[in-house]
PDB file of all heavy atoms in Angstrom:
ATOM      1  N   ARG A 324       6.213  12.081  -6.237  1.00 70.00           N
ATOM      2  CA  ARG A 324       5.119  11.864  -7.186  1.00 70.00           C
ATOM      3  C   ARG A 324       3.776  11.772  -6.454  1.00 70.00           C
ATOM      4  O   ARG A 324       2.787  12.392  -6.872  1.00 70.00           O
ATOM      5  CB  ARG A 324       5.387  10.577  -7.971  1.00 70.00           C
ATOM      6  CG  ARG A 324       4.405  10.316  -9.103  1.00 70.00           C
ATOM      7  CD  ARG A 324       4.935   9.244 -10.044  1.00 70.00           C
ATOM      8  NE  ARG A 324       5.272   8.011  -9.362  1.00 70.00           N
ATOM      9  CZ  ARG A 324       6.528   7.575  -9.169  1.00 70.00           C
ATOM     10  NH1 ARG A 324       7.538   8.278  -9.609  1.00 70.00           N
ATOM     11  NH2 ARG A 324       6.761   6.422  -8.549  1.00 70.00           N
ATOM     12  N   ALA A 426     -10.498  -2.237   9.695  1.00 94.00           N
ATOM     13  CA  ALA A 426     -10.107  -3.640   9.576  1.00 94.00           C
ATOM     14  C   ALA A 426      -8.588  -3.717   9.489  1.00 94.00           C
ATOM     15  O   ALA A 426      -7.969  -2.981   8.711  1.00 94.00           O
ATOM     16  CB  ALA A 426     -10.747  -4.264   8.337  1.00 94.00           C
ATOM     17  N   GLY A 617      -3.221  -2.870   5.591  1.00 82.00           N
ATOM     18  CA  GLY A 617      -2.557  -4.116   5.211  1.00 82.00           C
ATOM     19  C   GLY A 617      -1.161  -3.855   4.703  1.00 82.00           C
ATOM     20  O   GLY A 617      -0.753  -2.701   4.514  1.00 82.00           O
ATOM     21  N   ILE A 681     -18.901  34.029   3.507  1.00 83.00           N
ATOM     22  CA  ILE A 681     -19.453  35.111   4.322  1.00 83.00           C
ATOM     23  C   ILE A 681     -18.943  36.458   3.839  1.00 83.00           C
ATOM     24  O   ILE A 681     -19.648  37.478   3.904  1.00 83.00           O
ATOM     25  CB  ILE A 681     -19.129  34.894   5.819  1.00 83.00           C
ATOM     26  CG1 ILE A 681     -20.121  35.667   6.697  1.00 83.00           C
ATOM     27  CG2 ILE A 681     -17.715  35.291   6.148  1.00 83.00           C
ATOM     28  CD1 ILE A 681     -21.513  35.116   6.687  1.00 83.00           C
ATOM     29  N   TRP A 721       0.739  21.720  12.617  1.00 92.00           N
ATOM     30  CA  TRP A 721       0.292  20.361  12.945  1.00 92.00           C
ATOM     31  C   TRP A 721       1.489  19.438  13.129  1.00 92.00           C
ATOM     32  O   TRP A 721       2.436  19.461  12.348  1.00 92.00           O
ATOM     33  CB  TRP A 721      -0.607  19.811  11.832  1.00 92.00           C
ATOM     34  CG  TRP A 721      -1.066  18.406  12.108  1.00 92.00           C
ATOM     35  CD1 TRP A 721      -2.141  18.019  12.842  1.00 92.00           C
ATOM     36  CD2 TRP A 721      -0.436  17.188  11.662  1.00 92.00           C
ATOM     37  NE1 TRP A 721      -2.231  16.643  12.889  1.00 92.00           N
ATOM     38  CE2 TRP A 721      -1.199  16.112  12.179  1.00 92.00           C
ATOM     39  CE3 TRP A 721       0.685  16.911  10.894  1.00 92.00           C
ATOM     40  CZ2 TRP A 721      -0.868  14.788  11.927  1.00 92.00           C
ATOM     41  CZ3 TRP A 721       1.023  15.591  10.647  1.00 92.00           C
ATOM     42  CH2 TRP A 721       0.244  14.541  11.155  1.00 92.00           C
TER      43      TRP A 721
END
Side-chain angles (χ1 to χ4, degrees):
R324 187 165 55 251
I681 202 70
W721 179 86

